[in-house]
Amino acid sequence: MAKGAASVSDYRALAKARLPHFLFEYLDGGSYDEVTLRRNVEDLQNITLKQRVLRDVSSIGVSTELFGKRWALPVGLGPVGLSGLYARRGEVQAARAAAAAGVPFTLSTLSACSIEEVAAAEPGFWFQLYIVRDRGFVSDMIARAKAAGCGALVLTVDLPVPGTRYRDYRSGLSGSMRGPVARMKQVLRRPDWTWDVAVRGRPMTMGNLEPVLGANAALSDLMGWVGQNFDSSVTWKDVEWVRSQWPGPLVIKGILDPDDARECIANGANGIVVSNHGGRQLDGALSTARALPSIAAAVSGRISVLADGGVRSGLDVVRMLALGADFALMGRGWAYALAGRGQAGVAHVLKLIEAEMRVAMALTACTSIGDIDEQILERTGDQATF
Ligand SMILES: Cc1cc2nc3c(=O)[nH]c(=O)nc-3n(C[C@H](O)[C@H](O)[C@H](O)COP(=O)(O)O)c2cc1C
């Protein structure tokens, strides 16, 4: 159990103290002026719940079903690139914590540990896919996810071009000739991380990208590959192409518009993630809390609606469900915990989320996940539009 941390924001502070500066900034930051990043958190926190009393809430169930499986909570760990660098073999630790808690873990294409390494430790996780220029690489990733027994394919579609993240420039992660020197200085200031991850966590390869980057690739090779290989010509035809290769649950991530949600249904998706990439892409875009209700109404129960962006507590999970989601994903929330305290930190955050969900449900008179709907929202003032 992690001493001294009682919330996601406590883990954020631990992550900041433990990670080299450029890694913390990569994790914590968003694109441009970070307007959407802030909106995600603030709009969700501003959703007011209706307190109800004197109902029997002595027995509360928090489990739910999604894609034919029972999960202990309506919460999953969303894909976070490079999370394997936040702790030693980080994606393996996070996958283990998620499995022990009975919730899904999603491995990013841009992970430090490969699909095969995570599958050997903890199979059944979901795999997140980007469609890059090299379609042979994409087909190969789908085949590897299938062979590893991944439970769902999460196709991320909100990155046809990468949004600029000022913090990555300032920290030396991208765009600067002095980057490697700056990063090395920052690493030397974090001896605990250096010993745990950079020394004992070897080999430091680029996980799933090893076949294209080679075994000795550096972080800058990965960033270069990402910059060169994202494909801005991707369309619904490519979704159809992915669908034809993946027989399991297909989830399209990065939906912020009801018409796009309808297109996902027409193209054979089993679910969507209402997401703006955690405010890391189109700065100024709607927060997910604001986008969610009209998307959930457009989908109208035909496929599953997952949502992320700003989820930092169990209260936030309840809010996402009340706004129309079937399931919430966390990004930074679990990654801060992984950086702060490894697997134990992620396990602890999931426990905190569950405990807070139970309190929120008791005080809104919900005894099962199915009870959580828009009836528990206070609709006053600005919120009438939610
Ligand atoms: C450091 C970082 C890396 C991310 N990498 C990926 C990724 O590789 N693939 C992806 O689909 N989304 C990625 N995301 C977006 C998350 O899956 C998710 O949409 C977002 O973090 C949700 O917002 P939250 O961090 O406020 O919970 C990343 C987010 C962060 C913070």
Side-chain angles (χ1 to χ4, degrees):
M1 183 66 58
K3 268 184 268 150
S7 66
V8 166
S9 64
D10 290 346
Y11 276 108
R12 179 181 177 275
L14 284 177
K16 189 171 185 180
R18 193 172 156 86
L19 291 177
H21 181 65
F22 69 91
L23 272 184
F24 178 76
E25 292 292 89
Y26 172 73
L27 168 56
D28 198 53
S31 57
Y32 302 97
D33 287 326
E34 303 188 340
V35 171
T36 297
L37 168 58
R38 279 192 298 279
R39 278 184 189 159
N40 278 348
V41 174
E42 285 166 12
D43 287 351
L44 195 55
Q45 280 189 342
N46 283 332
I47 302 286
T48 310
L49 298 170
K50 218 185 262 182
Q51 176 174 298
R52 302 303 303 270
V53 296
L54 297 172
R55 313 284 166 117
D56 180 358
V57 289
S58 55
S59 168
I60 288 180
V62 289
S63 76
T64 193
E65 209 177 295
L66 183 70
F67 306 136
K69 265 196 83 161
R70 195 95 211 145
W71 304 99
L73 297 172
V75 178
L77 309 190
V80 172
L82 299 184
S83 45
L85 300 184
Y86 305 152
R88 190 188 334 157
R89 315 311 298 170
E91 286 106 0
V92 168
Q93 295 201 49
R96 286 195 168 128
V103 303
F105 166 75
T106 317
L107 183 72
S108 164
T109 295
L110 304 177
S111 55
C113 303
S114 68
I115 293 190
E116 292 78 14
E117 179 179 352
V118 181
E122 200 62 73
F125 58 90
W126 298 353
F127 182 67
Q128 176 266 321
L129 183 72
Y130 284 120
I131 301 181
V132 295
R133 289 201 180 140
D134 179 352
R135 296 296 200 271
F137 171 81
V138 179
S139 281
D140 191 43
M141 289 308 309
I142 298 173
R144 288 169 68 185
K146 226 191 286 182
C150 291
L153 189 67
V154 178
L155 177 64
T156 300
V157 294
D158 58 4
L159 226 142
V161 290
T164 297
R165 300 177 196 142
Y166 297 151
R167 291 209 220 178
D168 289 349
Y169 276 85
R170 291 175 189 137
S171 71
L173 183 62
S174 60
S176 151
M177 296 289 280
R178 294 196 318 264
V181 176
R183 291 202 301 273
M184 185 50 74
K185 282 187 187 157
Q186 294 166 24
V187 164
L188 292 175
R189 278 188 217 119
R190 291 290 185 271
D192 288 353
W193 177 90
T194 304
W195 173 241
D196 181 37
V197 182
V199 179
R200 295 175 71 204
R202 287 181 174 277
M204 299 259 278
T205 63
M206 289 304 147
N208 300 314
L209 300 186
E210 204 182 322
V212 284
L213 292 180
N216 298 317
L219 197 51
S220 48
D221 298 322
L222 172 83
M223 299 314 266
W225 186 88
V226 169
Q228 282 158 22
N229 272 282
F230 274 99
D231 187 347
S232 51
S233 74
V234 173
T235 67
W236 294 104
K237 273 250 161 285
D238 298 285
V239 173
E240 209 181 300
W241 175 74
V242 169
R243 175 74 284 184
S244 71
Q245 296 172 71
W246 176 260
L250 177 67
V251 185
I252 302 186
K253 175 172 181 283
I255 299 302
L256 218 55
D257 179 274
D259 284 336
D260 285 343
R262 289 188 195 97
E263 286 275 4
C264 290
I265 301 173
N267 283 279
N270 304 95
I272 53 171
V273 186
V274 175
S275 177
N276 51 35
H277 217 101
R280 295 164 78 80
Q281 283 294 98
L282 179 62
D283 198 29
L286 264 188
S287 67
T288 48
R290 281 191 180 260
L292 178 53
S294 56
I295 295 175
V299 168
S300 177
R302 286 176 288 169
I303 57 172
S304 300
V305 176
L306 296 82
D308 72 16
V311 174
R312 302 286 184 268
S313 67
L315 206 53
D316 290 338
V317 173
V318 170
R319 289 173 168 130
M320 282 295 200
L321 300 194
L323 291 170
D326 301 305
F327 214 84
L329 296 181
M330 275 196 294
R332 294 178 184 82
W334 72 261
Y336 292 142
L338 179 70
R341 291 276 153 83
Q343 184 176 334
V346 180
H348 185 212
V349 153
L350 289 168
K351 278 207 166 17
L352 293 174
I353 297 262
E354 175 180 349
E356 194 173 1
M357 276 185 71
R358 286 181 179 279
V359 172
M361 288 171 71
L363 290 166
T364 53
C366 295
T367 55
S368 72
I369 295 303
D371 286 349
I372 304 174
D373 61 17
E374 75 282 356
Q375 302 295 326
I376 70 165
L377 299 179
E378 202 75 71
R379 289 180 178 270
T380 54
D382 187 35
Q383 285 200 33
T385 57
F386 273 24

